[in-house]
Amino acid sequence: MATNIAEIPVRKICCIGAGYVGGPTCSVLALKCPDIQVTVVDRNELRINQWNSEKLPIYEPALEEIVKQCRGKNLFFSTDMVPALKEADLIFISVNTPTKTFGLGKGRAADLKFVESCARLIAEVCDRSKIVVEKSTVPVRSAASIVNVLKANTKPGVSYQVLSNPEFLAEGTAVNDLTNPDRVLIGGEDSEDGKKAISALSWVYRHWVSADKIIEMNTWSSELSKLAANAFLAQRISSINAISAVCEATGADVSEVAKAIGLDSRLGPKFLQASVGWGGSCFQKDILNLVYISESLNLTSVAAYWQQVIDMNEYQKSRFGERIVQAMFNTITDKHIAILGFAFKKNTGDTRESPAIHVAKHLLEEGAFLHIFDPKVEKAQILLDLDQLDEESSISIHTDPYEAAKGTHALVVCTEWEQFITYDYQRMYDSMLKPAFVFDGRKILDHSALAKIGFHVETIGKRHGQSSQDHNWTGTNGI
Ligand SMILES: NC(=O)c1ccc[n+]([C@@H]2O[C@H](COP(=O)([O-])OP(=O)(O)OC[C@H]3O[C@@H](n4cnc5c(N)ncnc54)[C@H](O)[C@@H]3O)[C@@H](O)[C@H]2O)c1
Ligand SMILES: O=c1ccn([C@@H]2O[C@H](COP(=O)(O)OP(=O)(O)O[C@H]3O[C@H](CO)[C@@H](O)[C@H](O)[C@H]3O)[C@@H](O)[C@H]2O)c(=O)[nH]1
């Protein structure tokens, strides 16, 4: 007998996509809902094997403990998608939605081919009604496409409710973000079945999230809120980075300006850290998506406005690379440069859209030899990001920061790893060629202490040389 949505109790959840979102989200879900069985499926066998092993495929603080606690009890990772989908009452679609690389909307529109293939598979194999939850970040009105695909292929007597439930976790703080979310958005159809589906998903979150943080809304608002939130966050960083360029040209200090701005309670202090540029898998692709949608709707001024957020970020990354070359007497050909940090932010091993890639490529083009160290990024990943098949003469990857620094002309900080703050910079200085430079792309180091050691210090949003009060760097060991 066919079931309708009203009769669906959520006992089993299946999540398609065992990535940075699916893995941590389902781990926290399993932890908080011992009465629900959670199965995360993925077609990538290596990834699933890693989720089932001692070394998880992604690094996130506190995640390993949760996985170990729940795995095999109510948390399962599998490549066997069909039985997991058939059994599930509620299905999360948590697959990647990258920017299209060819065809209509190339370079800007989101590629929904993975989302669509999930919908097709669900319709093909499921023989009872289910709630399908769009967790991937998608363009506005994508849920309508999922509904279309499901309806056109569904088995007789089976019906689906499609909900939008975007994810707001940030990498490096995923477990905390999932455990204590600022809000949970649930968008659904304004119908009796739609409301029941929203209640069912809400019930799942209510295991650990208070009711006032679970916001129910129309599906399109929910989808757009995700893109808008990322656009606003990236815009704040691009704005402070734009101000950092003015600081460098005038003698103002961007940290002081950011503090002054952030003390205005209407603005607040977060996301005002000027940097070498923002990275990560989401900001760029989601803003490009917003730009594309705006253009498609003939809202050209809106599209141009958001495009500027990306353009400013490109400018910032390039500016930093150029500044390194300029400070080192306009040439880095055959010079050795240590790059500290390759991940797009601290506490993750993820390098997607990392500004370090941009900086490293710039320095390589200028003829430098790079010595790269990151506490969490695998060597193979760095080589892949720099289009190298293997370590070759211009790039070496280190597992020890002091080894990376040895014999180099400069240190370039690209990621804000906390451990970088407490390194023994005197020891590094002693092992480097002179004059020894530090380029702090994250503004995390003690610049006056470094200048006292003898480093020539350059940082974001502060005029050249200003941070090193006594940089007598033409001195001792020559150029
Ligand atoms: N990474 C983040 O911090 C973050 C945060 C919020 C939202 N998002 C959004 O969540 C979505 C997923 O992001 P992610 O970073 O987890 O991506 P990811 O690339 O890490 O993981 C996606 C996984 O989906 C799998 N997959 C793709 N198509 C599949 C299919 N048809 N069947 C089975 N498995 C399939 C891939 O093999 C991959 O393992 C994206 O839309 C992203 O924009 C990401
Ligand atoms: O003041 C700041 C804050 C961040 N960054 C950089 O901005 C990038 C993005 O950082 P963050 O937003 O913390 O990490 P993501 O994991 O990319 O998370 C963003 O993208 C996710 C995917 O959509 C969303 O879920 C999150 O809410 C949103 O913060 C990184 O390169 C950071 O180093 C700065 O340069 N200055």
Side-chain angles (χ1 to χ4, degrees):
M1 200 182 74
T3 45
N4 62 37
I5 299 296
E7 293 158 4
I8 299 177
V10 182
R11 296 280 167 254
K12 292 190 177 179
I13 289 179
C14 174
C15 171
I16 315 178
Y20 285 87
V21 168
T25 304
C26 289
S27 302
V28 169
L29 209 119
L31 180 76
K32 300 292 183 182
C33 308
D35 54 331
I36 297 177
Q37 181 183 306
V38 185
T39 306
V40 190
V41 295
D42 202 296
R43 58 182 180 188
N44 180 334
E45 201 175 336
L46 173 67
R47 235 181 191 183
I48 290 298
N49 288 344
Q50 288 172 323
W51 280 110
N52 283 322
S53 75
E54 286 299 300
K55 190 169 186 297
L56 303 184
I58 64 173
Y59 171 71
E60 269 298 333
L63 181 62
E64 200 177 294
E65 293 78 3
I66 298 175
V67 172
K68 282 189 178 153
Q69 195 178 328
C70 301
R71 198 170 51 192
K73 290 184 188 134
N74 68 331
L75 175 64
F76 301 90
F77 295 93
S78 170
T79 49
D80 206 358
M81 296 179 48
V82 174
L85 289 172
K86 273 167 124 46
E87 279 181 15
D89 307 305
L90 185 147
I91 299 166
F92 281 112
I93 298 180
S94 203
V95 298
N96 37 332
T97 48
T99 305
K100 278 183 88 169
T101 52
F102 57 87
L104 189 66
K106 171 185 169 182
R108 286 175 310 157
D111 192 341
L112 294 184
K113 68 180 174 199
F114 301 125
V115 173
E116 183 178 333
S117 73
C118 291
R120 286 184 186 279
L121 182 65
I122 293 168
E124 188 191 320
V125 304
C126 294
D127 39 28
R128 64 183 175 86
S129 301
K130 290 169 201 277
I131 299 168
V132 175
V133 182
E134 174 190 84
K135 190 156 259 312
S136 298
T137 305
V138 289
V140 198
R141 298 194 74 87
S142 296
S145 310
I146 298 178
V147 169
N148 254 332
V149 172
L150 288 170
K151 267 198 183 150
N153 297 283
T154 198
K155 293 191 177 179
V158 177
S159 68
Y160 296 95
Q161 273 300 315
V162 177
L163 301 178
S164 159
N165 172 223
E167 183 48 62
F168 292 98
L169 70 81
E171 289 179 28
T173 53
V175 170
N176 189 47
D177 296 341
L178 288 161
T179 315
N180 307 296
D182 287 345
R183 74 308 207 184
V184 171
L185 300 191
I186 306 180
E189 196 182 283
D190 188 15
S191 66
E192 203 179 314
D193 271 356
K195 287 188 179 123
K196 281 175 182 149
I198 292 175
S199 300
L201 182 58
S202 209
W203 172 81
V204 173
Y205 279 108
R206 283 300 310 278
H207 281 71
W208 78 98
V209 181
S210 60
D212 59 314
K213 289 194 169 171
I214 302 175
I215 321 286
E216 298 173 7
M217 57 174 68
N218 129 351
T219 313
W220 321 137
S221 306
S222 172
E223 289 175 334
L224 182 57
S225 299
K226 173 64 195 174
L227 296 183
N230 273 354
F232 272 58
L233 289 167
Q235 181 213 44
R236 266 177 83 96
I237 311 169
S238 279
S239 297
I240 198 68
N241 283 344
I243 295 296
S244 79
V246 180
C247 290
E248 286 162 38
T250 58
D253 179 339
V254 75
S255 300
E256 294 176 355
V257 177
K259 187 174 176 191
I261 295 171
L263 285 170
D264 186 325
S265 60
R266 292 169 301 176
L267 292 167
K270 294 182 181 168
F271 266 65
L272 284 177
Q273 175 70 37
S275 65
V276 52
W278 44 260
S281 64
C282 295
F283 282 174
Q284 171 121 337
K285 102 177 151 57
D286 293 350
I287 299 173
L288 284 170
N289 190 350
L290 187 57
V291 169
Y292 183 71
I293 292 168
S294 306
E295 272 178 9
S296 309
L297 297 168
N298 275 330
L299 303 169
T300 44
S301 299
V302 178
Y305 176 76
W306 289 113
Q307 179 64 44
Q308 267 301 311
V309 174
I310 294 175
D311 294 348
M312 183 52 62
N313 196 46
E314 291 303 311
Y315 170 70
Q316 187 75 350
K317 289 185 285 187
S318 301
R319 223 166 57 76
F320 185 65
E322 283 159 17
R323 195 160 158 208
I324 294 171
V325 179
Q326 274 163 18
M328 295 176 77
F329 322 112
N330 279 324
T331 178
I332 53 168
T333 308
D334 293 339
K335 287 182 180 163
H336 290 256
I337 298 179
I339 295 200
L340 298 181
F342 206 76
F344 81 95
K345 64 184 283 197
K346 69 176 177 181
N347 294 334
T348 179
D350 194 352
T351 62
R352 291 178 289 178
E353 302 293 340
S354 177
I357 300 173
H358 187 107
V359 172
K361 284 186 173 169
H362 180 87
L363 301 180
L364 286 171
E365 274 165 23
E366 291 281 341
F369 294 98
L370 299 186
H371 302 262
I372 304 173
F373 167 77
D374 186 284
K376 286 291 171 198
V377 182
E378 307 277 346
K379 176 175 168 177
Q381 185 61 50
I382 298 176
L383 294 173
L384 188 70
D385 288 334
L386 296 179
D387 310 318
Q388 305 290 324
L389 291 176
D390 208 344
E391 255 178 313
E392 41 114 314
S393 56
S394 58
I395 302 173
S396 53
I397 318 288
H398 296 260
T399 51
D400 179 283
Y402 298 97
E403 281 303 311
K406 198 187 276 177
T408 62
H409 297 80
L411 307 176
V412 177
V413 176
C414 285
T415 312
E416 69 275 32
W417 283 103
E418 255 149 53
Q419 63 209 80
F420 292 176
I421 300 169
T422 52
Y423 284 163
D424 181 349
Y425 284 96
Q426 181 69 58
R427 180 176 159 200
M428 285 193 185
Y429 180 81
D430 292 343
S431 74
M432 289 172 67
L433 299 173
K434 308 296 180 322
F437 291 78
V438 171
F439 298 91
D440 184 358
R442 293 295 188 163
K443 300 181 71 65
I444 53 168
L445 304 182
D446 181 341
H447 300 147
S448 48
L450 290 170
K452 263 194 201 123
I453 290 172
F455 279 107
H456 174 100
V457 184
E458 297 270 345
T459 192
I460 303 283
K462 216 170 180 183
R463 194 148 65 180
H464 166 83
Q466 215 186 335
S467 48
S468 57
Q469 290 122 5
D470 56 351
H471 67 276
N472 185 16
W473 46 267
T474 46
T476 46
N477 295 345
I479 297 168

